[in-house]
Amino acid sequence: MSQTSNKKTHASSFRDPSGVVFQEDGVVKRSINPIYFSQYDALTSSGFYKKLIDSKLLIPHEELSRDEDEIIIKPEQISFITNPYEWSFEQYKHAALLTLKIHRLALANEFILKDASAFNVTFHKGRAIFIDTLSFDFYEEKTPWRAYKQFVSHFLSPLLLAKYHGADMLKMLTLHSDGIPIRTTASLLPWKTKLNAFTYTNIHLLAKMENKYSDDYKAENSIKPLSKKAQNNIIESLYDFIKKLEINQQTEWGDYYNKTNYNTTSFNQKALLIKQWALEINVKKVIDVGGNDGTFGRELLAQADEILVTDIDQNAVDFNYKNILKNKETKILPFVCDVLNPSPSIGFNNTERESLLIRLKEYKPDLTMALALIHHITLSGNVPFYKSAEFFAGFSENLILEFPTREDSWVQSLLVRKREFIKHFDFYNEENFEKEYAHFFIISNKIVIQESDRILYLLKRK
């Protein structure tokens, strides 16, 4: 956030002259400029906003004030914003389909979606939601969808690249926050995609056009007219193709709970302890780091208001997301996070999109859970105990951490992979862990999980 008079203007809210997002007394609001008054009034009076909100496509808002200089609206507050490069494949698909649904509905009501940035979507109460209320304009007869190319670079390109090269390609918007250049996408896709009518038209031909007109500095090339019917056909084609897109990627943790060596006794005791400790400290906001498919996060559904569940594994996050949709859960927010390399701050002045750690510090979870994660951070990531303790203490008051001892089979597996350097990791033991974490935390509780080689700690930040 940056300071402007008595308002904190959001650092990313400078590209659209229609209005600005700001925060006042901790509440996110939006100021609408006179240049957008006619569109806003038409969107409101026509009932189009209501249709979008009733269909749960657009974040609801209320109008707070109006004068000749500005209209102030307050959207429903979203406590934690995830960015496109933090979504799983299914989440990304649903964000793309949501954007197309909205544009299709806009056209039917004589409006258009004037931009199709993936950053206009986030996940809230279990589903994708459009958050840029001012992204609409009047439809002009026979004009093409001006946001088509942006949709391709923000949505279609990452999804296609993920299909052919793996889900890590979904992170490419961290490098290209204005969208992946179409030429880049075309160069990375397999040659056979030139034989497919859809990918040839929407990627390869578009890349050729991009090259052909790259020197058109005076914008001398005229825009060809396009009927509304033809535009609807393009939207339907994009929608049908993306809806059927699949990714075939086997990952290590996708079926973690089928592979783990927990037995029923230890599993149940761990779940019971987590619930008891969370109740003792009256948690409302939780983040489960390395939370896989959300199995243990769900143990806190009865008492927590919101549970963020992160994991590096795409399949685990997708599995969690599908369960949320299936069970109509509204409290859990899953997203992809590599704890050894969390999302950085990106964009103009490195402030447009805040890093994950800045957002977590603002979010202030009451409790962080790091269950069976410390051995991966320490032995796979070579992160000393002191550094991981500093990391967790940076954003949370309380920490439930599961420590697998050297006798644990997963720890032994990681140590064996160190080969001739195995002696370098002799420090990995319970005593050194407690000593280093004592710089940041005090031990509130410590229990050895029955019939396992793991210890569960409840730690409170100093």
Side-chain angles (χ1 to χ4, degrees):
M1 300 283 179
S2 62
Q3 188 70 37
T4 304
S5 66
N6 63 338
K7 300 172 182 174
K8 288 184 177 178
T9 305
H10 195 280
S12 68
S13 188
F14 62 90
R15 294 179 188 263
D16 186 353
S18 303
V20 65
V21 176
F22 65 95
Q23 200 174 79
E24 193 171 50
D25 300 325
V27 178
V28 174
K29 300 176 185 177
R30 187 185 290 268
S31 169
I32 303 171
N33 295 328
I35 194 175
Y36 196 74
F37 280 7
S38 59
Q39 288 92 333
Y40 174 78
D41 287 338
L43 289 158
T44 304
S45 62
S46 68
F48 181 60
Y49 271 150
K50 188 173 186 308
K51 284 180 187 173
L52 291 177
I53 292 166
D54 289 348
S55 302
K56 298 183 179 178
L57 302 175
L58 175 69
I59 195 74
H61 71 264
E62 61 175 309
E63 187 175 313
L64 298 179
S65 64
R66 168 192 285 254
D67 59 32
E68 61 182 14
D69 295 323
E70 65 176 357
I71 300 170
I72 303 290
I73 63 172
K74 186 181 83 170
E76 182 175 304
Q77 303 293 290
I78 299 177
S79 57
F80 191 84
I81 297 287
T82 55
N83 292 317
Y85 39 81
E86 295 165 334
W87 301 337
S88 68
F89 187 77
E90 283 298 311
Q91 287 178 304
Y92 216 117
K93 265 179 64 175
H94 287 188
L97 296 175
L98 172 83
T99 303
L100 292 172
K101 276 183 194 174
I102 289 174
H103 182 52
R104 183 168 56 193
L105 193 57
L107 270 181
N109 287 270
E110 299 301 316
F111 296 105
I112 59 159
L113 195 58
K114 66 181 182 182
D115 64 85
S117 166
F119 293 98
N120 287 343
V121 181
T122 195
F123 285 80
H124 179 55
K125 294 183 177 177
R127 57 192 300 165
I129 189 90
F130 199 80
I131 56 175
D132 189 355
T133 311
L134 310 189
S135 270
F136 303 94
D137 209 337
F138 298 115
Y139 171 69
E140 294 177 25
E141 196 66 33
K142 295 188 176 179
T143 54
W145 184 23
R146 71 180 82 156
Y148 163 70
K149 185 179 168 186
Q150 189 181 33
F151 179 85
V152 172
S153 62
H154 275 247
F155 287 107
L156 183 59
S157 286
L159 287 167
L160 272 173
L161 292 173
K163 172 181 172 59
Y164 289 105
H165 299 291
D168 279 349
M169 302 301 281
L170 298 176
K171 299 176 184 174
M172 281 189 70
L173 284 194
T174 55
L175 298 175
H176 303 284
S177 59
D178 287 337
I180 302 170
I182 311 297
R183 283 173 287 186
T184 302
T185 304
S187 70
L188 293 173
L189 288 180
W191 186 86
K192 64 181 180 181
T193 58
K194 291 183 179 179
L195 303 177
N196 178 286
F198 178 88
T199 46
Y200 178 77
T201 304
N202 291 285
I203 299 293
H204 297 290
L205 183 59
L206 197 58
K208 281 186 180 178
M209 301 292 282
E210 194 175 74
N211 286 331
K212 183 177 178 181
Y213 296 117
S214 61
D215 295 331
D216 182 20
Y217 301 115
K218 296 180 181 177
E220 292 174 335
N221 291 290
S222 59
I223 298 173
K224 293 182 179 177
L226 188 73
S227 69
K228 187 187 282 189
K229 184 175 185 303
Q231 192 174 155
N232 269 316
N233 288 342
I234 293 172
I235 297 167
E236 292 304 323
S237 170
L238 288 167
Y239 193 94
D240 290 343
F241 182 86
I242 291 173
K243 189 177 180 182
K244 293 174 185 172
L245 266 182
E246 298 288 343
I247 186 170
N248 183 19
Q249 182 167 286
Q250 295 297 318
T251 59
E252 187 176 4
W253 306 103
D255 59 348
Y256 175 75
Y257 292 109
N258 290 329
K259 293 177 181 176
T260 186
N261 52 4
Y262 268 126
N263 62 28
T264 302
T265 300
S266 52
F267 190 94
N268 289 340
Q269 188 199 12
K270 177 176 164 181
L272 182 63
L273 285 170
I274 288 168
K275 282 193 284 191
Q276 285 178 344
W277 290 353
L279 198 60
E280 287 172 14
I281 53 181
N282 192 30
V283 300
K284 296 300 175 189
K285 294 194 292 186
V286 179
I287 178 167
D288 188 0
V289 183
N292 201 265
D293 61 6
T295 294
F296 285 99
R298 283 183 171 78
E299 295 291 335
L300 304 181
L301 276 175
Q303 55 184 295
D305 293 334
E306 200 166 47
I307 304 163
L308 312 183
V309 180
T310 80
D311 206 279
I312 189 175
D313 187 275
Q314 279 276 345
N315 285 356
V317 176
D318 255 352
F319 188 76
N320 192 5
Y321 175 60
K322 288 174 182 174
N323 272 335
I324 288 167
L325 295 178
K326 178 183 171 185
N327 301 326
K328 295 183 167 52
E329 295 168 338
T330 58
K331 291 184 176 181
I332 299 178
L333 175 61
F335 60 95
V336 178
C337 165
D338 178 357
V339 72
L340 296 174
N341 187 25
S343 304
S345 295
I346 63 165
F348 182 69
N349 205 23
N350 282 162
T351 56
E352 268 191 276
R353 310 295 166 192
E354 292 173 331
S355 73
L356 177 62
L357 292 185
I358 289 175
R359 281 175 283 148
L360 283 179
K361 285 173 184 175
E362 291 175 352
Y363 182 71
K364 294 180 181 175
D366 304 308
L367 170 68
T368 295
M369 295 202 295
L371 306 175
L373 181 66
I374 187 66
H375 53 318
H376 294 292
I377 295 176
T378 311
L379 301 177
S380 299
N382 288 9
V383 178
F385 287 138
Y386 182 91
K387 296 293 287 183
S388 60
E390 183 181 36
F391 169 78
F392 288 123
F395 54 85
S396 189
E397 186 79 14
N398 299 287
L399 172 64
I400 293 180
L401 187 145
E402 180 182 8
F403 185 87
T405 65
R406 290 184 75 88
E407 289 71 37
D408 182 88
S409 62
W410 282 97
V411 173
Q412 290 180 5
S413 173
L414 292 174
L415 285 170
V416 166
R417 296 180 211 179
K418 296 297 181 183
R419 301 181 185 277
E420 65 269 29
F421 295 108
I422 191 168
K423 285 293 183 185
H424 292 220
F425 295 88
D426 282 350
F427 72 90
Y428 185 90
N429 57 52
E430 177 185 342
E431 291 74 25
N432 285 329
F433 165 77
E434 292 181 6
K435 177 185 170 187
E436 295 301 314
Y437 268 63
H439 290 287
F440 298 93
F441 294 97
I442 58 173
I443 297 175
S444 298
N445 216 327
K446 172 186 174 183
I447 291 179
V448 176
I449 300 173
Q450 297 170 17
E451 301 177 28
S452 81
D453 296 305
R454 299 181 173 190
I455 303 167
L456 203 62
Y457 288 92
L458 173 61
L459 304 164
K460 184 171 181 56
R461 188 170 60 194
K462 286 183 172 175

